Amino acid sequence: MIKDIIANTTNIKLTVIIRRALQGVASNNNPYLTLILQDNTGIINARLWDVSATDIEALVAGQVVTISANSLLYNNELQLKINDYQVLSGKEAEKHYQNLVISAPINVEKEWKDLLKTVEDFDDAILKKVVLHLLKQNEKDFTTRPAAVRMHHNVRSGLLWHTATMLKTAKEIVKVYHDREINQDLLYAGVIMHDFGKIWELSSQLITNFTLQGNMQGHIVLGSEQIGLACRTLKINEQEPIILLLQHLVLASHGKYEFGSPVLPKVLEAEILHQLDNLDAKITIIDDALKPLNSGMATNRLLALEGRIFYKHEGEKKKK
Amino acid sequence: MIKDIIANTTNIKLTVIIRRALQGVASNNNPYLTLILQDNTGIINARLWDVSATDIEALVAGQVVTISANSLLYNNELQLKINDYQVLSGKEAEKHYQNLVISAPINVEKEWKDLLKTVEDFDDAILKKVVLHLLKQNEKDFTTRPAAVRMHHNVRSGLLWHTATMLKTAKEIVKVYHDREINQDLLYAGVIMHDFGKIWELSSQLITNFTLQGNMQGHIVLGSEQIGLACRTLKINEQEPIILLLQHLVLASHGKYEFGSPVLPKVLEAEILHQLDNLDAKITIIDDALKPLNSGMATNRLLALEGRIFYKHEGEKKKK
Amino acid sequence: MIKDIIANTTNIKLTVIIRRALQGVASNNNPYLTLILQDNTGIINARLWDVSATDIEALVAGQVVTISANSLLYNNELQLKINDYQVLSGKEAEKHYQNLVISAPINVEKEWKDLLKTVEDFDDAILKKVVLHLLKQNEKDFTTRPAAVRMHHNVRSGLLWHTATMLKTAKEIVKVYHDREINQDLLYAGVIMHDFGKIWELSSQLITNFTLQGNMQGHIVLGSEQIGLACRTLKINEQEPIILLLQHLVLASHGKYEFGSPVLPKVLEAEILHQLDNLDAKITIIDDALKPLNSGMATNRLLALEGRIFYKHEGEKKKK
Amino acid sequence: MIKDIIANTTNIKLTVIIRRALQGVASNNNPYLTLILQDNTGIINARLWDVSATDIEALVAGQVVTISANSLLYNNELQLKINDYQVLSGKEAEKHYQNLVISAPINVEKEWKDLLKTVEDFDDAILKKVVLHLLKQNEKDFTTRPAAVRMHHNVRSGLLWHTATMLKTAKEIVKVYHDREINQDLLYAGVIMHDFGKIWELSSQLITNFTLQGNMQGHIVLGSEQIGLACRTLKINEQEPIILLLQHLVLASHGKYEFGSPVLPKVLEAEILHQLDNLDAKITIIDDALKPLNSGMATNRLLALEGRIFYKHEGEKKKK
Amino acid sequence: MIKDIIANTTNIKLTVIIRRALQGVASNNNPYLTLILQDNTGIINARLWDVSATDIEALVAGQVVTISANSLLYNNELQLKINDYQVLSGKEAEKHYQNLVISAPINVEKEWKDLLKTVEDFDDAILKKVVLHLLKQNEKDFTTRPAAVRMHHNVRSGLLWHTATMLKTAKEIVKVYHDREINQDLLYAGVIMHDFGKIWELSSQLITNFTLQGNMQGHIVLGSEQIGLACRTLKINEQEPIILLLQHLVLASHGKYEFGSPVLPKVLEAEILHQLDNLDAKITIIDDALKPLNSGMATNRLLALEGRIFYKHEGEKKKK
Amino acid sequence: MIKDIIANTTNIKLTVIIRRALQGVASNNNPYLTLILQDNTGIINARLWDVSATDIEALVAGQVVTISANSLLYNNELQLKINDYQVLSGKEAEKHYQNLVISAPINVEKEWKDLLKTVEDFDDAILKKVVLHLLKQNEKDFTTRPAAVRMHHNVRSGLLWHTATMLKTAKEIVKVYHDREINQDLLYAGVIMHDFGKIWELSSQLITNFTLQGNMQGHIVLGSEQIGLACRTLKINEQEPIILLLQHLVLASHGKYEFGSPVLPKVLEAEILHQLDNLDAKITIIDDALKPLNSGMATNRLLALEGRIFYKHEGEKKKK
């Protein structure tokens, strides 16, 4: 497994999936490939020197391969020099799938049940009907898809992970702010639906990418549209205020125009939803960047946090 | 008619519609009303002093009234002092409607026919089918609705006016740039659909206002959604690239995130559409502000043009 | 009490404190005063016409007065016309104090105890010592002061209210994100200290205002400085990393330079603290603005939320 | 010709002009040159390895050379490896000039005549006199110069191409908006003069570059100054309002301060001019970037369009 | 004189010039005028009630009048209620001019001589010739004109005052930074020319206003143009690098695009010039705003300083 | 010495300090080191090829080494290829210190005396006491420390150099603006204290870097805190207005929130201080960038000046 590789080992054997393949030309004027390889324990860079046109055609993103390689240290990072490789396809490739993809650190079945339970407990009959319909209709996608191409939650079941985490915080917020006028069904429904459109925005291959639809419309609009379509199917009037509010929560969830929300939060629940989304994204991005570091080290500039650098201090002090 | 009023006339009789009603308190501590009155020749401010609760309830936005008033000059603007008024309702009010609303300076029937002709001439069978369906299904609204609450094209048939003007420019652009790769059917369909969602965003009363749906979603999302629904009705696959592109043109038509587009133009036709929309809006806003001025005068700061002031010079010099 | 006033009542008797006093000139060229009056049930505008120099001198912000007045409706808001007034001072004024100031809707004693308990449970000995010292040394101020001049939490014990609420959410966040590396003692200490400097930034009079120190330095710098001084007193090395981190959390709590943080969050706990502060402020501001409205109404533009307008929908649906 | 080169050919012979020459050091510690070569069919990158000081001195921007080279594929782009070269100078170089420079895809003579005709048809005698004078005085430069160093219209006669295209659109705009108060002579004169200062801003060598004057003042100021000087020569009062307006159109043509306009558009014609300039630039930049791509591919980030990526869809559908 | 007026005096006699005249309507529905009056000791607001059309026509900006009025206190500011007035014109008005306009607190003759001396000491023959020519040709305007319509240096000889002050600081900067490569002739010439275009930008009436030329081009472009014209007259090549640099210093003097510079500082002297301009403007604006205040008071928000408020502390402590 | 190196020399011997060490991998897959070397005559890049783990450990920032190398020209810049090296430590290294560090071009002793003299001449007894105390307590650090890690004044005694230069300009400003209300003691004290916190923000090693304290709080807050602590030590009330004002000047010295000032200038002296700081920084940065260039050349984009490029013209013309 990738996580077991140590430096300066020869003849390592691995079955991996190619995340990205980049062509270069070495100073001897021969082409080479930089490959980003993944299995469910991690990611590693690899190089294959002096490649032929056949190599370039064979080694593309999404391809499963078995490689033989040597490991070395480059700029303090492990790297592989590939000596030989074999392309796997069809059945042969499929039986490796579960070992190739990183999954969210959650119990999918439990989180899914909790999610359904939350919806079944809604007092608002319309919200309950619409959200349950959409969840059940898209159960497989909703429970397995990642929530991003790069960055936070770009793992199997990342969408469920992100949604379930926000839902937990939302419930606590509702308790802490019990004396404010928060419609909790609306807030919870908004949390569950806010990234739902990602099912159509991102492709379902092992290696996630944007669909044409995703590029042209974006998940926010796609999610809102799904709510409208569900109403049609369920013979619910799309002009019901609670439906318009739910669509508003989805459309306004990015909170700012410059992040692609066509309307800004105009009801309290929409503002809270945006804040919770922001909080979850930022904690996850920072924590992801700090995890591999030792105390005293600093991350690279994090683009999603205005280019800030974060420091790893002594870290977590937990109660016994 | 409002346009015929001159200063210092007594006992003027007018039938008008109330655009807005604002309550104030005079220095004698009695309430009064400032009314913005409209007929199809213009708009004028009026005051009714020492109002009762009954007056306040009766004189609201959208109400048709016959008034008796005196005219005076206030800060170089005409104003009415209302002496007496009579509320009109039902049939009685309706028969005045056509005299109360300003219409776009276009031949609605001719523009509508030209528009349909343009679509019927599309080579792209899918675009033709979808756009024709939507136009015909919404003919009455599309040909009578304004394109805005305030500002440019806030007149009867303003939506058709704005759309038809942009379409004319689009056709000329396609000719001038005949050697660039512009899909003209897509561009024309985008122009026709780009403000289509305003039918649902704005209320259809004589006095236009935002609907709940408009406030919560905005016309850009509503227009894109209509295209999706039309596909369903017409059994056209919503994933057809040309449909996704058309929706993209609508969603990207504001051109910048801060103007409420959830995606920015990503195909050439989307960028052109945005530029044409911008051009038509700016010419109309500046021209509207300059129209009532004499040579040498300046407009107030125009918010839609970054607060700039525009000067009226000697003006148009036309060929004989 | 102010909350009991209804329109068009004569000869109302009230003891109130003056929040602000503004001079004007009526159209009869005589000066008048607009007074903003407060008791612990609310705030109301009042006018005193034809004032003398003596009146102007007597009726200033912070003064306690007993008034006789008539109520009227002005622009849909209640207003008082003062007929007569009597200035209270010394003991006489003081015995009204508790009826004049609005208090936070919390059990101050309980929240204070919970706060102390949280600190006493810290594992980190340095943080425990420093934070306990500062809390106990400033108990009276910390438990009674408001957290703002205008806007959110501008009530008696507002500082404690804001701090205690954030602390509750912080504890829930720590639970939801139990698998991330959050130093909970540091986070809780940061929450408790982040607005501590407001004790020096704002004056302690009944009517809150900025001190010279507050204007020249701001509460963020004042709070950080207090931590340094406490270390001196307690003979703790000010260069202890945990102390520098706590000061960093306070200095970075506004999260952005444009909100007056001299450093931006550079550790995970600082980012979370900023997000929680933001969340509490925004919920409170929106909720305060929505509270007095009926369903279907909209707030004025909220400056602290980029000028957005918020809509009151049907509101809270709670479980039985 | 450059456009005829295919990969993996040896011993290619070409006469080209060097656009840019960049020095590097190979991993064998020997210097090499990266050359950007141009003829009138395209542009290609080339490398010359192990260069001497003599090579570096000889192979500079603007030099015409005959090379012998091999072609290869590097990152999916064609590249040349130069084996041998010969420097051409004087007469020898000049006879290749017409084969080395890319020209605008227009009939220069015809466009120039149309331009003159437009000016001769002006009703405004002053504008006619001034603009004709400037055009005739600078005919050679105006009809041959590029309109930019990099980016759009950086080709022989690019200035005429850009100007003539905008003039065509301007004429159509005047027709579509025939009921608005547009002074068409002023608009057309502004279009013709708006980039006129580029004659002095950019050097007239085969390889365009900024002059000292261009760097210190910019073409906008230089163009406005030329209008003033023409008035002096023609004994026209420089304070004539129509002259000040024409200078304003030139100075305001970038439309925004951040693009270097010292005044923003303050008359309708200035705003239209800016919009047309913007439209032509953006269509040209996007089309240039899309041209070499196949359907389904995307451009790099286009800096002049806020870093957006554009997609090439199936493209143009023209009427039969 | 205006500075001698105290509150609640009747029958004050004054000869003043009207800076601005604004029409209003009183609550008795009669029009009135608000006049801003000026003499060389200050500025005061005045009201004339129940005005006729004749009054409105007579009392316009720039008019010299003798008034009889009563003083009163309005919002802590002195105000006049005009009882009677008499219009002065022709010779009669002119003999009051010197008492109506505030002059810069400088010895004009001495500053003018020092300025000329500085230029005569230039080593650079071209700069000396051009700047001397322009100064002498425009001596009267340069030594009497204000430097602004509103705000800083909007007084007689304000242009000379601002220029001479900057020149003094420039000379000290050159001394302090004697070891940096500053071309002092260029810097001093730039300082002297940087606002020279204001002679054409602003009208020369007693009450300053923007000219058409000023509105359409701005003083920065006008100043640069004057340098070019002077070269023509003096038969100096306009392409001399030192001339292009001087024009650059003028064009870049606002330092930022958003303040209307078409080019940003690209040589060290241009950057210094911008900084000195900024420094002088800011000191003057703040000092002007602080002057009338007592210790402990604060200014209104100063728009030219990003809306900041400034505090007057105990103030200047000078050496004996 | 580094300044004496010329291209293509073999076997150069130098004793230098390593400013930075960066690891790379050559195309032969062997690691190499890029070293930035410094002595008191300049800085140069060097490469060591085929390094071992031992080399990497030995050659780190701050290490003093004697090298043997060859010089070559790379991209028009001198570079060294290291053949051999020897690590110096302890006493051996120390005796080279004075030859390794670049010092500010000032007479430290004289500037320090002048600085003390300025403070001793203060009329304000409190400012005199506090500033003298802080200066004397930190004399060694204040007179030897650099004022930055990179960029301007990053040399030995850079802090004193920057402070002394600003103080000179401040004194001239006070003279030029003698008629404005500037408290000169406050301004001078502010200048002296404004970067004082850098003593704690930056480490005192030969190779400067940020301390943890510097990273977490920043020099602005650290400087303000030092003033508070000095008051404690000297038994001066920290609430003295003049102390609060001095702290304000330090905190506001960056002038804008985005540069890390938690409060913006609110008194005239604070605004002047910010402007002087800005002026000194910009002159120094531009001059540093221009110094090594020949006439006619341009700098790279200067990040601290919004990415502008500066041109070196013929330069300084001094009086004989």
Side-chain angles (χ1 to χ4, degrees), chain A residues 26-27 49 72-76 79 81 311, chain F residues 22-27 29 31 212 215-216:
Chain A
S27 55
W49 299 96
L72 57 111
L73 214 63
Y74 174 84
N75 257 343
N76 293 325
Q79 193 177 88
K81 178 161 170 290
Y311 293 86
Chain F
L22 299 162
Q23 215 178 317
V25 170
S27 56
N29 244 339
L212 177 61
N215 257 324
M216 290 299 126

Side-chain angles (χ1 to χ4, degrees), chain B residues 109-320:
Chain B
E109 215 170 321
K110 183 184 174 309
E111 298 291 350
W112 174 246
K113 268 189 196 155
D114 288 358
L115 205 77
L116 289 181
K117 180 70 171 53
T118 300
V119 184
E120 276 153 6
D121 284 355
F122 281 2
D123 281 351
D124 189 301
I126 295 177
L127 286 182
K128 193 197 302 195
K129 218 165 149 188
V130 169
V131 177
L132 271 184
H133 171 80
L134 282 166
L135 284 178
K136 288 182 174 167
Q137 190 186 33
N138 297 281
E139 172 173 351
K140 203 192 143 196
D141 284 325
F142 191 80
T143 55
T144 57
R145 292 297 192 84
V149 170
R150 252 181 291 264
M151 294 210 305
H152 72 106
H153 301 109
N154 58 341
V155 295
R156 188 178 161 90
S157 304
L159 178 56
L160 178 60
W161 183 24
H162 174 53
T163 305
T165 306
M166 277 178 65
L167 195 57
K168 280 172 202 159
T169 315
K171 288 179 176 179
E172 300 303 336
I173 295 291
V174 164
K175 278 185 220 152
V176 173
Y177 293 94
H178 58 86
D179 55 344
R180 315 298 167 96
E181 293 189 17
I182 302 170
N183 180 328
Q184 62 189 64
D185 286 358
L186 177 60
L187 176 60
Y188 300 163
V191 165
I192 293 168
M193 284 295 117
H194 87 287
D195 270 353
F196 199 74
K198 289 200 169 175
I199 294 172
W200 293 265
E201 187 191 37
L202 304 177
S203 65
S204 60
Q205 264 61 52
L206 286 183
I207 299 304
T208 309
N209 227 321
F210 287 95
T211 61
L212 178 60
Q213 198 170 14
N215 258 324
M216 291 298 125
Q217 302 184 255
H219 66 268
I220 264 185
V221 169
L222 292 169
S224 169
E225 208 177 39
Q226 285 296 320
I227 295 165
L229 294 174
C231 288
R232 293 234 153 174
T233 306
L234 300 169
K235 313 284 186 212
I236 290 168
N237 181 358
E238 285 170 85
Q239 303 279 342
E240 276 291 338
I242 198 69
I243 289 298
L244 298 180
L245 287 168
L246 177 59
Q247 288 179 304
H248 175 68
L249 258 71
V250 173
L251 292 168
S253 65
H254 283 187
K256 293 195 192 307
Y257 288 135
E258 57 265 44
F259 302 151
S261 267
V263 284
L264 302 190
K266 291 177 172 175
V267 296
L268 176 56
E269 293 81 0
E271 181 64 28
I272 296 176
L273 169 53
H274 163 57
Q275 297 273 347
L276 294 180
D277 193 13
N278 203 14
L279 180 70
D280 189 52
K282 294 215 164 136
I283 290 181
T284 304
I285 291 168
I286 299 170
D287 194 66
D288 280 3
L290 289 173
K291 273 252 157 72
L293 304 182
N294 296 325
S295 279
M297 291 175 68
T299 66
N300 292 326
R301 299 196 166 280
L302 302 184
L303 286 188
L305 285 123
E306 303 98 46
R308 271 182 276 153
I309 285 169
F310 278 77
Y311 293 86
K312 174 125 168 185
H313 55 75
E314 267 183 50
E316 189 173 26
K317 293 216 177 158
K318 282 244 189 74
K319 300 282 172 274
K320 290 113 296 192

Side-chain angles (χ1 to χ4, degrees), chain D residues 34-93:
Chain D
T34 302
L35 301 170
I36 302 173
L37 306 175
Q38 170 189 302
D39 68 14
N40 70 0
T41 69
I43 284 172
I44 194 165
N45 272 19
R47 292 233 167 140
L48 180 62
W49 300 96
D50 294 321
V51 294
S52 66
T54 321
D55 295 330
I56 292 172
E57 228 165 276
L59 298 170
V60 293
Q63 179 62 55
V64 178
V65 285
T66 300
I67 60 166
S68 159
N70 299 353
S71 66
L72 59 109
L73 213 62
Y74 174 83
N75 257 344
N76 292 324
E77 283 187 35
L78 276 171
Q79 193 177 89
L80 295 180
K81 180 163 168 288
I82 299 178
N83 303 318
D84 199 9
Y85 71 91
Q86 191 189 344
V87 165
L88 307 189
S89 55
K91 288 273 149 85
E92 202 183 2

Side-chain angles (χ1 to χ4, degrees), chain C residues 17-21 33 35 55-65 207:
Chain C
I17 185 164
I18 299 171
R19 279 178 77 92
R20 291 173 71 196
L33 283 172
L35 302 171
D55 295 330
I56 293 171
E57 229 166 277
L59 298 169
V60 294
Q63 180 60 56
V64 178
V65 286
I207 300 303

Side-chain angles (χ1 to χ4, degrees), chain E residues 121-253:
Chain E
D121 284 355
F122 281 3
D123 282 349
D124 189 303
I126 295 178
L127 286 182
K128 193 197 302 193
K129 218 165 149 189
V130 169
V131 177
L132 272 183
H133 170 79
L134 283 166
L135 284 177
K136 288 182 173 168
Q137 190 185 35
N138 296 282
E139 172 173 350
K140 204 193 141 194
D141 283 325
F142 191 80
T143 55
T144 56
R145 292 297 191 83
V149 170
R150 252 181 291 263
M151 293 210 305
H152 71 104
H153 302 109
N154 58 341
V155 294
R156 190 178 158 90
S157 304
L159 179 57
L160 179 61
W161 182 26
H162 174 53
T163 304
T165 308
M166 276 177 65
L167 194 58
K168 281 172 202 159
T169 315
K171 288 177 176 180
E172 300 303 337
I173 294 292
V174 164
K175 279 185 217 151
V176 173
Y177 293 93
H178 58 86
D179 56 344
R180 316 298 165 96
E181 294 188 17
I182 301 171
N183 180 327
Q184 62 189 64
D185 287 357
L186 177 60
L187 176 60
Y188 300 163
V191 166
I192 293 168
M193 284 295 115
H194 87 286
D195 270 353
F196 200 74
K198 289 200 169 175
I199 294 173
W200 294 265
E201 187 190 37
L202 304 177
S203 64
S204 60
Q205 264 60 54
L206 287 181
I207 299 305
T208 308
N209 227 320
F210 287 96
T211 61
L212 178 60
Q213 199 172 14
N215 258 324
M216 291 299 124
Q217 303 184 254
H219 67 268
I220 264 186
V221 169
L222 292 169
S224 170
E225 207 177 40
Q226 287 295 320
I227 294 166
L229 294 174
C231 288
R232 294 234 152 174
T233 305
L234 300 168
K235 313 284 186 211
I236 291 169
N237 180 359
E238 285 169 86
Q239 303 278 343
E240 276 290 337
I242 197 71
I243 290 299
L244 298 180
L245 287 168
L246 177 59
Q247 288 179 305
H248 175 68
L249 258 70
V250 173
L251 292 169
S253 64

